[in-house]
Amino acid sequence: MLHSVTTFTDFILEDEEKYPQAKGNLPLLLLQLENAVKIIASHVRKAGLSDVLGQTGKVNAFSEEVQKLDEFSNSLLIKTLTSSGQVHTIVSEELSDAHVASPNGSYDIFFDPLDGSSNIDTNNPIGTIFSIYHHTDNLLKKGSEQIAAGYVMYGAGTVLVYSSGHGVNDFTFDPAVGSFLLSHINIKIPQEGNTYSINEAYFPKYSDPMKQFLSQWKEKPKASARYVGALIADIHRTLLKGGIFLYPTDSSHPEGKLRLTIEVNPIAFLVEQAGGETFATSSSPLDVTPQHIHERSPFIAGSPTNVKEYKKYV
Ligand code: AHG
Ligand code: MN
Ligand code: MN
């Protein structure tokens, strides 16, 4: 019998039927986003051969060296999302100010065009993260107002992980078909995991409770550590295998390093949709009202048991 194949297109069109009153055309926005990430994926796969590697010599809103692939991905996403006509405002890691794409657009989108840039030159996993809201003139919206969010991981395979608030599904790109095909339905994070994921080089700079939390992890009989250095890769493993990801504050990152609107909120939305727990400074980051679009935030995310244990320490 024919295996039922569900493409990302099928999925979002079926999903759209749940929102008969929708003002904009979210499927059109998402299909343009899909086209952009397919092109990014193809450039990532041949990054070693083309000239997208290496530094541009410019710096971004966070005064970090911009890699060419970041810039290419950023301008491609802006172009394709603008041509959808569905996006009013774009907030990107690579743009210091918000950008109005289509004055009649129904949605605002926040994205990290290329996450894990330090992994580009070593052929390690990188990704694209996106977060979608209904358009409002006030951009400083709580993450709980997201209507959809997702990430693409350019890893051994190219996977798209997406939620519109009804659970999390992942789609794997099939080059033979040229589409993302539904591959993991209704992902649920394990209640508890044995893996912790943090850049322990900063250990000396952590608070004492944080140091105690990490030290007791090493006492666990089955403890394991994994840190890829790309948020999407460390989160993807945590979603599938369980455990805890941490990018807390430290003395050199007093607000944390990750960006609230373009990294933390979309990932927190997905982790909570998969039954996981998240934490920023006093609660889920989704409850925080941003003070500015490029605000940074500490971020803890993972299996409920592991995150609850973290909260007991800090
Ligand atoms: P980006 O490449 O978009 O700047 O994101 C990198 C982020 C995130 O992907 C990752 O979790 C974190 O930086 C790694 O930071 P450290 O190198 O300080 O561990
Ligand atoms: Mn990033
Ligand atoms: Mn980035």
Side-chain angles (χ1 to χ4, degrees):
M1 69 127 179
L2 260 184
H3 287 276
S4 71
V5 168
T6 303
T7 64
F8 184 57
T9 308
D10 299 325
F11 182 87
I12 57 180
L13 290 175
E14 282 159 28
D15 205 31
E16 188 66 3
E17 280 157 24
K18 298 187 190 112
Y19 306 97
Q21 79 289 358
K23 275 191 303 164
N25 185 338
L26 186 60
L28 179 53
L29 185 163
L30 291 166
L31 290 177
Q32 283 296 87
L33 182 71
E34 184 189 14
N35 287 336
V37 299
K38 284 184 192 176
I39 295 168
I40 295 171
S42 112
H43 278 73
V44 166
R45 303 282 171 228
K46 59 189 178 193
L49 301 172
S50 54
D51 70 344
V52 290
L53 289 182
Q55 312 295 326
T56 57
K58 294 182 197 158
V59 294
N60 67 9
F62 302 91
S63 66
E64 290 158 346
E65 188 74 42
V66 178
Q67 298 242 8
K68 286 183 181 175
L69 202 53
D70 286 57
E71 216 165 62
F72 168 80
S73 307
N74 185 56
S75 46
L76 180 72
L77 280 161
I78 292 168
K79 183 167 75 71
T80 49
L81 288 169
T82 302
S83 63
S84 78
Q86 302 305 311
V87 176
H88 186 283
T89 304
I90 290 175
V91 172
S92 165
E93 177 192 340
E94 306 304 335
L95 296 176
S96 45
D97 301 317
H99 167 75
V100 175
S102 308
N104 303 321
S106 305
Y107 305 100
D108 294 333
I109 189 166
F110 295 68
F111 59 66
D112 179 357
L114 213 76
D115 175 60
S117 311
S118 60
N119 284 349
I120 296 175
D121 290 345
T122 52
N123 203 20
N124 281 313
I126 51 183
T128 297
I129 309 172
F130 61 93
S131 168
I132 302 171
Y133 296 78
H134 286 301
H135 167 61
T136 53
D137 289 335
N138 171 25
L139 280 177
L140 301 177
K141 297 174 266 209
K142 287 183 180 180
S144 52
E145 293 175 47
Q146 290 173 91
I147 60 168
Y151 60 82
V152 180
M153 181 162 88
Y154 312 103
T158 304
V159 290
L160 166 62
V161 177
Y162 175 75
S163 174
S164 61
H166 307 279
V168 180
N169 295 287
D170 88 9
F171 302 79
T172 300
F173 186 67
D174 179 344
V177 175
S179 301
F180 283 95
L181 306 182
L182 184 59
S183 46
H184 202 133
I185 298 174
N186 199 19
I187 298 174
K188 287 296 172 200
I189 192 169
Q191 273 300 317
E192 183 171 8
N194 302 314
T195 302
Y196 72 104
S197 184
I198 187 169
N199 185 339
E200 288 211 68
Y202 304 131
F203 188 88
K205 300 176 182 169
Y206 291 144
S207 67
D208 287 344
M210 189 68 212
K211 289 179 178 173
Q212 285 153 20
F213 173 73
L214 288 176
S215 305
Q216 60 90 29
W217 253 96
K218 302 179 199 299
E219 307 302 320
K220 295 175 191 261
K222 291 191 281 181
S224 168
R226 288 281 185 279
Y227 193 73
V228 181
L231 173 64
I232 44 89
D234 285 315
I235 287 294
H236 195 64
R237 181 201 55 251
T238 304
L239 274 182
L240 299 183
K241 304 281 186 192
I244 188 167
F245 169 85
L246 308 103
Y247 206 115
T249 59
D250 63 60
S251 52
S252 54
H253 301 91
E255 274 89 42
K257 175 191 181 184
L258 300 177
R259 294 74 166 191
L260 176 62
T261 61
I262 59 155
E263 289 171 317
V264 173
N265 276 341
I267 299 299
F269 180 81
L270 293 166
V271 169
E272 293 186 13
Q273 280 290 316
E277 285 202 21
T278 66
F279 194 75
T281 44
S282 56
S283 65
S284 159
L286 300 180
D287 303 332
V288 173
T289 302
Q291 298 308 306
H292 61 88
I293 54 173
H294 288 309
E295 180 169 321
R296 293 177 189 269
S297 169
F299 187 40
I300 315 304
S303 298
T305 305
N306 300 113
V307 175
K308 285 185 174 72
E309 183 190 42
Y310 167 81
K311 287 190 213 174
K312 278 206 298 250
Y313 274 82
V314 292

